Amino acid sequence: MKMSIEIIGTGRAVPPRKVSNDELAAQIDTTDEWIRSHTGIGNRHIADESVACSDLAAEAAINAMAMAAGYSGDDPAEIKRAAAEVAPTIDMIILATATADYYGTPSTACIVQDKIGAKNAAAMDITAGCTGFVYGLETAAGLLCVSPNRKRAIVIGAELLSKMMNWDDRSTCVLFGDGAGAVVVEKIGDCCQGKTGILQSLLFADGSGADSLVMKRGGTRAPYKKGETVDTPICVEMNGQEVYNFAVGAISDTLKALKEAGNFNFEDVAWIVPHQANARIVKAARMRLRIPEEKFYMNIEEYANTSSATIPIALDEMNRKGQLKKGDLVLTVGFGGGLTYGGNIIIW
């Protein structure tokens, strides 16, 4: 029997508080017109002070597990009931985030494991910036393939970037939002040569650009020193022009590499789900490759950049709207801090 690593459930969690560009413009020196014209962003969702990364991650995972159990409605009690059926069958949790609950340890994935009741699951975090979910899917597929005892995994992208922003830096703070997305993946069969599910992933990195997108304080490069007065908080710092130039090339190069690796034409692709960082970046890349706009799923106007969560949030939106059909050829493409980039080839 040939094996496939298939997505059997999707879920997302987005804070209820929506902050429009106009609301931001009342607090910092910017305008709705500037933000929209430069990024395509109209809103972002911001979590309450009491919410941590694991809270959104667990909610997204529970929604994905409920769908895996056959329930895709919105009744909270039924969602919890259905998710509880699946929780004991989860063998591993892989969580991609740059905004973990705690620095270094414990992993946020371990906290999620407890929150969702997946007592039989191993758990670990991945730090690959905005490409984290793409890396996570490939990690899950590989770990499921190599062990006969592992069958199911949850892959989550979750971020609370609002808590890692310098809200006086108007060039950066307008770009980001909070959210989480998750998928349940299952191994079907007993060898890694299936024709459905996650067919192939391509993962890349360029560490020479590490300083282009970085949180400098708090690590061993800039550790805490007793008595030190810290003027700069732990926050995201970005060289926007460097990241823009990298991202356009990363999307183009990844999509071309996926096409060659999968031996298909872009006409065969039902959907391309890119990391939602900036609508102008995606437009420049698709024009470079001459791919029709309608093949790209974009929701940046509503959520802004949620880093590792953008792709799984989009997949869940598409799935619940019925836009993903069985047999569809779907490409994901991510790019972000590290610098990292890559993509997945999926037959839905």
Side-chain angles (χ1 to χ4, degrees):
M1 181 187 294
K2 293 185 176 181
M3 188 201 73
S4 299
I5 304 294
E6 299 193 2
I7 295 173
I8 62 169
T10 62
R12 69 183 187 273
V14 179
R17 183 190 171 205
K18 181 162 69 173
V19 177
S20 68
N21 291 342
D22 286 331
E23 187 174 342
L24 272 189
Q27 303 171 40
I28 60 177
D29 184 17
T30 190
T31 65
D32 173 70
E33 189 280 330
W34 187 93
I35 297 172
R36 287 183 184 273
S37 63
H38 285 74
T39 69
I41 296 168
N43 304 284
R44 71 283 299 141
H45 292 250
I46 304 297
D48 292 341
E49 274 298 313
S50 62
V51 175
C53 179
S54 63
D55 297 319
L56 290 182
E59 183 181 347
I62 287 169
N63 289 330
M65 288 193 297
M67 182 182 288
Y71 182 75
S72 56
D74 56 8
D75 181 86
E78 284 300 303
I79 290 171
K80 289 182 179 180
R81 180 200 60 76
E85 293 179 3
V86 172
T89 72
I90 301 299
D91 298 302
M92 104 184 65
I93 299 167
I94 297 171
L95 193 153
T97 187
T99 56
D101 281 22
Y102 300 101
Y103 172 72
T105 190
S107 73
T108 303
C110 281
I111 299 170
V112 171
Q113 185 234 30
D114 180 57
K115 285 179 179 289
I116 67 176
K119 295 182 179 181
N120 298 316
M124 66 178 182
D125 289 357
I126 287 180
T127 304
C130 303
T131 323
F133 182 77
V134 170
Y135 271 58
L137 273 185
E138 175 65 358
T139 301
L143 290 174
L144 290 176
C145 276
V146 298
S147 172
N149 299 319
R150 301 188 192 109
K151 183 176 181 180
R152 284 181 173 173
I154 298 177
V155 183
I156 310 167
E159 305 286 4
L160 262 76
L161 288 155
S162 65
K163 297 191 177 186
M164 299 295 182
M165 285 294 107
N166 177 358
W167 288 96
D168 293 325
D169 179 3
R170 65 172 182 166
S171 65
T172 301
C173 70
V174 301
L175 304 176
F176 296 96
D178 301 335
V183 299
V184 177
V185 295
E186 180 174 82
K187 176 171 66 177
I188 300 173
D190 59 5
C191 65
C192 296
Q193 298 176 5
K195 300 300 182 183
T196 60
I198 303 165
L199 298 189
Q200 192 170 1
S201 302
L202 299 178
L203 308 179
F204 308 100
D206 179 6
S208 67
D211 286 342
S212 298
L213 185 56
V214 63
M215 286 190 279
K216 291 181 179 177
R217 296 210 58 85
T220 55
R221 182 65 64 190
Y224 166 77
K225 297 177 182 177
K226 186 177 180 180
E228 179 183 33
T229 299
V230 179
D231 294 326
T232 304
I234 299 173
C235 62
V236 174
E237 299 178 46
M238 181 172 70
N239 184 316
Q241 191 59 55
E242 287 182 2
V243 172
Y244 182 94
N245 293 338
F246 158 75
V248 173
I251 293 179
S252 303
D253 292 347
T254 300
L255 288 175
K256 286 190 290 185
L258 290 171
K259 181 171 78 75
E260 292 171 5
N263 192 29
F264 55 79
N265 296 314
F266 288 126
E267 290 81 2
D268 303 322
V269 177
W271 289 103
I272 298 170
V273 186
H275 166 50
Q276 313 279 317
N278 186 314
R280 290 173 64 196
I281 291 173
V282 176
K283 180 179 180 180
R286 69 171 175 77
M287 291 183 69
R288 181 179 293 185
L289 295 176
R290 298 182 180 179
I291 302 173
E293 180 180 3
E294 59 268 20
K295 287 191 179 289
F296 287 81
Y297 185 83
M298 299 293 296
N299 61 4
I300 191 172
E301 196 278 337
E302 174 64 17
Y303 301 113
N305 181 352
T306 56
S307 187
S308 65
T310 66
I311 292 173
I313 286 175
L315 288 174
D316 184 58
E317 273 197 338
M318 299 168 74
N319 197 21
R320 291 177 188 269
K321 290 177 182 176
Q323 292 175 284
L324 293 171
K325 309 296 184 184
K326 187 173 180 61
D328 277 353
L329 174 58
V330 179
L331 307 182
T332 70
V333 56
F335 52 90
L339 296 166
T340 60
Y341 58 111
N344 314 107
I345 304 173
I346 303 168
I347 301 294
W348 199 259

